[in-house]
Amino acid sequence: MRILCVCLGNICRSPMAEAVLRAKAAQAGLNWTVDSAGTGAWHLGKPPDTRAYEAARKRGYDTSDQLARQVKPQDFTAFDLILAMDARNRSELEDMYPPNATAQIRLFDPDGQEVPDPYFGERGDFEIALDMLENAANAMINRLTV
Ligand code: 4NP
């Protein structure tokens, strides 16, 4: 399974989502490829936001090898699942969907909760986002592997 995690900037939520999902999939013995990208282009080539990096690191997830990139047309064939953090990300992905696309677009959380954007928030908002990402990743792995 090849999974792309998508948010707006690819510096806060989706880098944390990538690290969380990769770690949990590996723990579950799943051979998943996990990547992340943003719908926007403001932060191309930048490492994750320091707050995202630190919050993730405190919980044992490493985002230090990540650099922001934008979603590209080939992603819709290179990945099986494209997982949006919120409804805005999902609708932008649907607008981009190329005619030959094969990927399924879903919200990251299989229960349909949106992961709020912590970029303009406080450190606590990054913890809330991580709590949601961990719960959602656990739920996804349980559902896709039973
Ligand atoms: P992310 O957070 O989508 O979780 O990476 C954001 C990062 C940057 C901006 C918005 C959201 N921005 O507007 O620059």
Side-chain angles (χ1 to χ4, degrees), residues 30 45 78 115 133:
L30 300 165
V115 182
L133 292 169

Side-chain angles (χ1 to χ4, degrees), residues 82-142:
I82 302 185
L83 300 175
M85 295 300 126
D86 63 29
R88 174 182 172 189
N89 307 146
R90 182 175 59 189
S91 110
E92 289 184 358
L93 287 164
E94 283 162 357
D95 290 345
M96 271 182 236
Y97 204 73
N100 66 337
T102 49
Q104 279 190 43
I105 300 171
R106 298 187 195 160
L107 284 179
F108 187 88
D109 181 350
D111 291 321
Q113 270 204 81
E114 300 181 70
V115 182
D117 189 350
Y119 184 64
F120 295 106
E122 316 278 332
R123 281 176 191 271
D125 297 302
F126 285 78
E127 300 297 336
I128 291 167
L130 265 175
D131 290 340
M132 295 185 74
L133 292 169
E134 288 185 321
N135 289 333
N138 286 334
M140 196 190 317
I141 287 169
N142 285 336

Side-chain angles (χ1 to χ4, degrees), residues 7-15 42-43 89 117-120:
C7 64
L8 187 56
N10 194 210
I11 55 166
C12 296
R13 290 166 293 176
S14 62
W42 304 284
H43 303 282
N89 307 146
D117 189 350
Y119 184 64
F120 295 106

Side-chain angles (χ1 to χ4, degrees), residues 63-84:
T63 62
S64 66
D65 62 343
Q66 298 194 39
L67 295 174
R69 74 167 180 90
Q70 197 168 18
V71 177
K72 52 182 192 252
Q74 299 91 303
D75 288 328
F76 293 86
T77 46
F79 292 91
D80 303 302
L81 274 181
I82 302 185
L83 300 175

Side-chain angles (χ1 to χ4, degrees), residues 15-25 61 108 130 133-134 137 141:
M16 297 193 293
E18 174 185 335
V20 167
L21 191 57
R22 183 181 292 130
K24 289 191 177 290
Y61 306 108
F108 187 88
L130 265 175
L133 292 169
E134 288 185 321
I141 287 169

